[in-house]
Amino acid sequence: MSSTSKQKLLPVVSSSIIGATIEWYDFFLYGVVASLALNHLYFPSDDPFISTLLAYVTFAVGFVARPIGGIIFGHFGDKIGRKKMMVLTVMIMGGSTCLIAILPTYNQIGVWAPIILLLLRIVQGIGLGGEWGGAVLMAYEYAPKEKRGFYASFPQIGLSLGLLLASGAVGLLTANLTDAQFLSWGWRVAFGASVLLLILGLWMRIAVQETPEFEKVKSSHSESRLPFLDMWKGGKAKKVIAGMGARYIDGVFFNIMGVFSISYLTKDLHVSNTMATLGVSAAALIMCFFIPYFGYLSDRVGRIQVYFWGSLIVGISALPAFYLMQISGGSTWIIWLSIIIPFGIFYALVYGPEAALFAELFDSRVRYTGVSVVYQLSGIFASGITPIIAATLIEVGGGSPLLLTLYVLFAGLVSAVSVWWMGKLNK
């Protein structure tokens, strides 16, 4: 790669990472805080299980809204450009998160509080639905073909950085505030901090240029009139289905280890909020290094191979992870290792090569819509309902995580078979 190409690629990759970090921070901050504060403030109930479940239902609604955002922003991203959509999505996400920070509680405005919270989660979901596709495509379409797995993995770091910031911010606040202070105003500080990230993200994204591949589409006047319909034509429907199946273990495992594990550790195993959130934060930090490594590895040995074995390894790892949590006796190091190894390292096997894997399913005319639909539509069953399923399986199992780990194993097997099928379709 020439020095000129590297100079153009650096700000593109940087803006994609920063923007994706903001989006994921905003989105997953809700998941981290849901069982610590939002269930009490917006979904009061005499049964803690019911109030937590209601908070997670609102969490799931954000995932249901994401495919809508993927279709809307994918359509315009394939017609008028990736850059414009990236600027718009970061404004939507940042604005809705700041509004959550100042939203009155159920005790202050009654039923309007959870209704407005639900609407803001829908707006967040729509924004994130358009964000992911734009961020990864900016890096993917600027990168040289032999290094696309490596460069397309960098926006993926935004997920781990966003989770790191979200869980780290909550961990820092819970460590320095009393439970009453955190419940009263501390959680609002974490949401309000989004405004600083919003300003930084806008500044960086406005400065980048459109991708060369989309410029070629524009200059040849070959834009798709209806990208959502065109992406299903010519035998692409099977690829869409295979991609959605491959995404299953990604969504399930992330939400089990990054979101639900905090609730499980604090509510079922009576571990402190600080220990649980800092364990997830440490895993997210380590993941930042392994995501680009496995993206790079996919350029060398093939994305199908890395993702196939990654799906199986991730699916199996849930059983020893939750077993260690159970026998930890409250030991910080055992609990942290049970999170860091499977989540910080193994999970990157699938999340590192994933962006390039999905981008290669579609040509540049419909790529924004295609990757967004594959990633976001599958998120409804792979991510959105996972905390609800996890909480229910733990409840049905009488506190035992066995049923939950078997569910994760099932997701890993589905993804392994799906990515194997994807490889057959690409031949």
Side-chain angles (χ1 to χ4, degrees):
M1 189 191 308
S2 68
S3 59
T4 303
S5 298
K6 287 182 179 180
Q7 289 174 357
K8 290 182 178 180
L9 188 55
L10 181 60
V12 169
V13 172
S14 300
S15 67
S16 293
I17 294 174
I18 295 297
T21 299
I22 297 167
E23 304 279 0
W24 286 116
Y25 171 83
D26 290 348
F27 197 77
F28 283 112
L29 181 60
Y30 182 98
V32 175
V33 177
S35 64
L36 304 180
L38 301 183
N39 56 339
H40 303 293
L41 298 173
Y42 295 93
F43 307 95
S45 171
D46 294 333
D47 187 339
F49 172 69
I50 296 299
S51 62
T52 300
L53 203 62
L54 289 173
Y56 280 142
V57 167
T58 309
F59 177 76
V61 166
F63 284 92
V64 175
R66 281 166 58 173
I68 299 172
I71 293 171
I72 294 172
F73 290 103
H75 175 85
F76 290 104
D78 283 326
K79 290 184 72 69
I80 64 176
R82 286 60 161 130
K83 174 187 170 177
K84 292 182 177 68
M85 297 305 103
M86 287 177 66
V87 171
L88 186 56
T89 55
V90 78
M91 291 175 63
I92 290 173
M93 284 292 293
S96 57
T97 302
C98 291
L99 289 175
I100 291 177
I102 60 174
L103 180 63
T105 65
Y106 185 91
N107 287 338
Q108 294 171 317
I109 61 173
V111 72
W112 284 107
I115 290 174
I116 296 172
L117 181 61
L118 179 66
L119 292 174
L120 290 174
R121 279 297 290 175
I122 291 173
V123 172
Q124 277 192 328
I126 290 173
L128 185 59
E131 156 65 26
W132 185 83
V136 300
L137 289 189
M138 288 294 289
Y140 177 86
E141 292 183 348
Y142 256 102
K145 291 185 178 181
E146 70 276 8
K147 296 182 178 180
R148 281 182 161 174
F150 176 65
Y151 281 106
S153 71
F154 277 95
Q156 301 288 74
I157 295 175
L159 177 138
S160 52
L161 287 176
L163 179 61
L164 173 63
L165 290 176
S167 59
V170 173
L172 185 64
L173 287 166
T174 55
N176 290 280
L177 300 175
T178 65
D179 290 344
Q181 287 173 326
F182 181 80
L183 200 61
S184 175
W185 56 267
W187 68 273
R188 296 184 185 275
V189 173
F191 280 89
S194 181
V195 68
L196 301 176
L197 296 173
L198 172 61
I199 294 171
L200 176 61
L202 277 175
W203 175 69
M204 294 193 70
R205 289 198 162 180
I206 289 173
V208 300
Q209 298 178 345
E210 187 55 77
T211 71
E213 285 202 29
F214 184 75
E215 289 290 1
K216 290 180 181 178
V217 172
K218 288 288 287 184
S219 62
S220 64
H221 304 289
S222 58
E223 302 97 319
S224 170
R225 289 184 65 252
L226 293 171
F228 181 75
L229 295 180
D230 287 345
M231 77 172 190
W232 299 95
K233 296 178 180 178
K236 296 188 183 74
K238 292 180 179 179
K239 293 184 177 182
V240 173
I241 295 170
M244 291 174 61
R247 164 92 162 87
Y248 195 16
I249 187 60
D250 161 23
V252 167
F253 200 74
F254 180 89
N255 285 280
I256 292 293
M257 299 304 296
V259 177
F260 176 77
S261 67
I262 295 176
S263 175
Y264 175 73
L265 287 167
T266 56
K267 306 297 182 185
D268 293 80
L269 300 185
H270 309 293
V271 172
S272 70
N273 290 336
T274 301
M275 184 191 296
T277 53
L278 289 180
V280 172
S281 298
L285 177 62
I286 291 171
M287 193 193 305
C288 292
F289 301 94
F290 281 94
I291 285 175
Y293 171 73
F294 289 121
Y296 164 82
L297 188 65
S298 75
D299 286 325
R300 299 297 178 185
V301 304
R303 287 180 244 296
I304 299 295
Q305 289 86 343
V306 174
Y307 204 97
F308 175 84
W309 291 109
S311 298
L312 295 178
I313 291 170
V314 170
I316 293 169
S317 70
L319 180 58
F322 276 86
Y323 176 73
L324 284 175
M325 291 181 196
Q326 278 197 309
I327 67 169
S328 66
S331 169
T332 300
W333 289 109
I334 294 178
I335 289 172
W336 283 5
L337 285 176
S338 69
I339 299 172
I340 290 171
I341 294 175
F343 192 39
I345 301 174
F346 295 162
Y347 174 70
L349 275 162
V350 295
Y351 205 65
E354 186 177 64
L357 179 74
F358 293 166
E360 288 170 351
L361 291 174
F362 307 97
D363 62 69
S364 55
R365 294 177 63 253
V366 299
R367 188 175 288 146
Y368 199 140
T369 302
V371 298
S372 297
V373 169
V374 166
Y375 190 82
Q376 308 300 355
L377 191 59
S378 60
I380 296 175
F381 64 84
S383 300
I385 62 174
T386 293
I388 299 173
I389 292 174
T392 303
L393 290 175
I394 294 292
E395 185 80 3
V396 170
S400 169
L402 179 60
L403 292 177
L404 176 60
T405 60
L406 291 176
Y407 174 67
V408 177
L409 177 59
F410 170 73
L413 291 172
V414 170
S415 291
V417 171
S418 297
V419 80
W420 171 82
W421 184 31
M422 189 186 301
K424 294 295 183 181
L425 293 173
N426 286 335
K427 288 182 179 179

